[in-house]
Amino acid sequence: MPVQQSFRHLQAAFGNFFAKRTKCPSFKRKHGKQSAEYTSSAFKWDGKSLKLAKMEDPLNIRWSRILPRAVKLTTETASKDSAGRYHVSMLCDDSVVLKPKVSAKVGIDLGLTHFAILSTGEK
C-alpha cells in the first residue's frame, strides 16, 4: 500500500540524515506534483487492466506502449502533475534472452579511399 511505501521512504530519508549523508527530510506539499507508489502486493495487473489497492473498478488506461507478456511488474507509481493529469509508470523485471556465442570475429577499418575495409579483405 502507498502508506507502507511512504513509511519506507521516510525511514530511509531519516537514516540518511542521521548518517550525515543528506539534509533533514522535508514534508511533501499538497500542491504541484503528487505521487503514490504501490508495491506488487497492492495492485493487480492481468495484462489489460490495472486495479489498485482499495479500488473496486479497474483504471481506464490509455497505454503508451505494449508490455511484453513475460514481464513481471514489481512497482507501480501513480502521479498527478500540476495540470491535474494522472500518469502511471510501471517498474518491471524482464527476462533477457542471451544470444548464442559466435567464434568468428571480423575487424573493420574505416578509410579514406574506401568507406570500410574488413579484415577478410572485403571492401
Side-chain angles (χ1 to χ4, degrees):
M1 292 219 229
V3 176
Q4 293 171 343
Q5 193 63 31
S6 64
F7 281 132
R8 287 186 195 116
H9 289 300
L10 185 64
Q11 182 180 6
F14 273 112
N16 289 333
F17 170 68
F18 289 122
K20 300 189 186 299
R21 289 190 288 262
T22 59
K23 298 187 297 184
C24 184
S26 61
F27 295 102
K28 284 193 168 186
R29 312 296 193 280
K30 262 177 139 178
H31 305 289
K33 186 178 178 183
Q34 299 176 5
S35 65
E37 187 172 327
Y38 294 86
T39 57
S40 60
S41 63
F43 67 89
K44 291 181 182 169
W45 182 66
D46 62 357
K48 296 179 184 175
S49 62
L50 179 69
K51 189 174 177 182
L52 301 177
K54 298 188 178 183
M55 288 183 66
E56 295 179 10
D57 297 328
L59 292 174
N60 186 12
I61 296 178
R62 183 176 60 197
W63 295 94
S64 63
R65 64 185 69 143
I66 297 171
L67 296 176
R69 292 196 186 274
V71 75
K72 180 184 177 232
L73 294 177
T74 59
T75 306
E76 182 272 324
T77 304
S79 59
K80 178 183 175 184
D81 61 5
S82 57
R85 297 174 297 206
Y86 289 92
H87 302 279
V88 175
S89 61
M90 299 177 179
L91 180 66
C92 55
D93 288 337
D94 193 11
S95 60
V96 178
V97 178
L98 297 175
K99 297 198 178 221
K101 292 197 174 200
V102 179
S103 61
K105 297 178 183 175
V106 175
I108 301 173
D109 181 32
L110 301 176
L112 297 174
T113 57
H114 297 288
F115 177 68
I117 301 172
L118 304 179
S119 60
T120 59
E122 186 180 349
K123 295 179 183 176

